[in-house]
Amino acid sequence: MTHLAQAGGLKLTAALLGLAVLSGCASVSLEQNLDRVNQEIIGFSGEKLQLARNAFERKEQEQAALQELKSPLGPQEAVKLALLNSAALQSLLAQGWADAAMGAQSGRIPHPVLSFERMIKGDELEIGRALSVGLLDVLTLPARQNLARQRIEQAQLQLTAQVIDHITRVRQAWICAVAAQQKFHYAQQIFEAAEASAELARRLQSVGNFNRLHRAREQAFYADAATRLATAQHQVTSTKEELIRLIGLDDTQMTMLTLPQRLPDVPKDALDAPAIGRMATKTRLDIQLALHALNMAAKAQGINQIKSLTDFDLIARRHTTFDNTAGHRSTARGFEVDIRLPIFDWGDMQRSEWDARTLAAAHQLEATVRSAGSKLRENYSAYRTAHDIARHHRDELIPVRKVISEENQLRYNGMIIGVFELLADARDQISTVIAAINAEEHFWLADAALKASLIGRPITTSMATVPVAVNTETPSHSSKDGLK
């Protein structure tokens, strides 16, 4: 009998050890999480992410960030600095690790329950022990571990998508900040020209050589230029602060931030449609996310179909009775199975819920696949149109405006036109340059949106915001019109 008890104990111990090993199969570490994310984003960002888990690692990242801030911050340097320095990105990494760990936890078996009881009846003492395990938890373990792996993969993909969104915002914020600086510089020139024109008109009117109408026109343009200058100055502050927030600079780092004087040149040749088609593959993040959502819903549906009907608990029992009067003891062993009876709730609503979830995930995958190509074509159209407009400004409008300005300078030297026409021409030339900067800014924003769309995080770019040059020319002031 003793040998049988020992054998039974060994079998139970071995079974519990086997369950412990099986339940530990689905796991994830921070390094695994980061490696997966870095594999996905390295082609998009050019840099790798690293989570600072202690003060020493954080100090190392701060030192690296200070090195980046010693020179003007280009677009790639801005991304690198954000990956090093952004507390928001560090928070995303930590949360992604937590989500992956929760996914791994869902594939493990709940702890067995050990119960102990002590009963006294006269001269008898009865001690009972019971060990219970959820039988369905054991039977469905392989399926739940497979589901756990899907959840880990889903958490990693979601983290990758969030990181890519942040990088795209950093790139677009850098573009807007540099363009705002450029436009502010030219807004100052327009303001100075308008101020000079208004002052000259005031003096001419004061000596009777200029009428009130033309003086009012020059004054109105001067007031408008002052408003535009103030707006441009605010845009410099607003766009720069947006970039500072996305990079995660503190007050000390902020004072070190310098940006280039101008945006990069628009490339001579745009990407062609076949090249874009080759870049866009089925490894797009949006399709991967939708596919994993469908797989998780299908696997969870299979598990919940069973659990919605019933559940089992397997309980191993051992009772020892001590008879103090007779001076002997007896041991009873056995097991019991607890079965939940589906009398009041047959689980039909739970099954309907999971059927609906799986159906919704299947349709969402289909919708994502169908819309992926459409969004890519839309973003490519915006990119190509913005490229053509930017090249048109650079190659056509600015050279033509330069020729007009040179001719007007010659006419002014020949006393064919007056100083007001020359000032108006200068304002028109500056306005054309600002429109060209706007076109370049829009192209680089469309370029960033296209890169995000290629990897599966599409951003809509509207061509309705593409500006055109504004004609600021005032009516010519002949000697006859200028008299009161």
Side-chain angles (χ1 to χ4, degrees), residues 426-446:
R427 295 197 297 262
D428 286 343
Q429 186 177 13
I430 296 171
S431 294
T432 302
V433 173
I434 291 178
I437 294 171
N438 284 328
E440 289 181 357
E441 177 187 12
H442 199 85
F443 165 75
W444 287 114
L445 290 175

Side-chain angles (χ1 to χ4, degrees), residues 178-195:
V178 175
Q181 285 187 167
Q182 281 185 266
K183 288 183 280 189
F184 175 68
H185 172 71
Y186 287 104
Q188 284 181 311
Q189 294 188 21
I190 290 181
F191 173 77
E192 291 168 0
E195 186 178 36

Side-chain angles (χ1 to χ4, degrees), residues 406-475:
E406 291 172 350
E407 290 298 317
N408 278 330
Q409 183 66 49
L410 292 175
R411 294 175 70 198
Y412 174 75
N413 293 338
M415 294 186 291
I416 299 175
I417 63 174
V419 66
F420 289 100
E421 288 80 7
L422 191 65
L423 288 171
D425 177 72
R427 295 197 297 262
D428 286 343
Q429 186 177 13
I430 296 171
S431 294
T432 302
V433 173
I434 291 178
I437 294 171
N438 284 328
E440 289 181 357
E441 177 187 12
H442 199 85
F443 165 75
W444 287 114
L445 290 175
D447 178 73
L450 179 62
K451 289 176 180 176
S453 182
L454 285 172
I455 202 170
R457 301 299 293 175
I459 299 174
T460 302
T461 304
S462 174
M463 293 307 299
T465 59
V466 176
V468 296
V470 179
N471 185 359
T472 61
E473 186 176 357
T474 56

Side-chain angles (χ1 to χ4, degrees), residues 88-110:
L89 271 179
Q90 293 289 300
S91 175
L92 284 178
L93 289 180
Q95 185 60 48
W97 183 19
D99 293 341
M102 287 180 63
Q105 179 64 35
S106 66
R108 300 193 172 184
I109 297 178

Side-chain angles (χ1 to χ4, degrees), residues 103-260:
Q105 179 64 35
S106 66
R108 300 193 172 184
I109 297 178
H111 293 301
V113 177
L114 175 64
S115 59
F116 179 85
E117 64 179 16
R118 185 175 184 273
M119 303 291 292
I120 298 176
K121 180 182 178 183
D123 293 331
E124 291 184 354
L125 170 64
E126 183 178 348
I127 296 177
R129 285 86 74 193
L131 185 67
S132 61
V133 178
L135 194 56
L136 278 183
D137 289 333
V138 177
L139 295 176
T140 61
L141 180 61
R144 290 193 297 109
Q145 287 184 339
N146 198 358
L147 177 59
R149 283 189 284 270
Q150 291 287 337
R151 285 174 175 165
I152 293 171
E153 183 80 5
Q154 184 82 346
Q156 291 171 337
L157 287 173
Q158 287 174 344
L159 174 59
T160 302
Q162 291 171 328
V163 171
I164 286 173
D165 289 344
H166 193 94
I167 291 172
T168 301
R169 291 197 298 271
V170 169
R171 285 175 173 162
Q172 293 190 326
W174 182 90
I175 293 164
C176 293
V178 175
Q181 285 187 167
Q182 281 185 266
K183 288 183 280 189
F184 175 68
H185 172 71
Y186 287 104
Q188 284 181 311
Q189 294 188 21
I190 290 181
F191 173 77
E192 291 168 0
E195 186 178 36
S197 181
E199 178 61 20
L200 181 59
R202 184 190 67 79
R203 292 183 181 183
L204 288 175
Q205 185 190 25
S206 67
V207 296
N209 291 331
F210 215 58
N211 63 36
R212 293 177 62 191
L213 176 60
H214 290 148
R215 159 71 195 286
R217 285 173 176 167
E218 297 297 335
Q219 189 65 31
F221 186 81
Y222 168 65
D224 182 67
T227 301
R228 290 175 182 270
L229 178 62
T231 302
Q233 189 170 22
H234 169 70
Q235 284 300 313
V236 170
T237 301
S238 175
T239 54
K240 191 173 183 179
E241 291 296 335
E242 174 69 11
L243 180 61
I244 287 170
R245 289 192 295 271
L246 289 171
I247 295 177
L249 302 182
D250 59 28
D251 292 343
T252 302
Q253 293 171 330
M254 179 185 66
T255 60
M256 300 175 62
L257 177 63
T258 57
L259 297 173

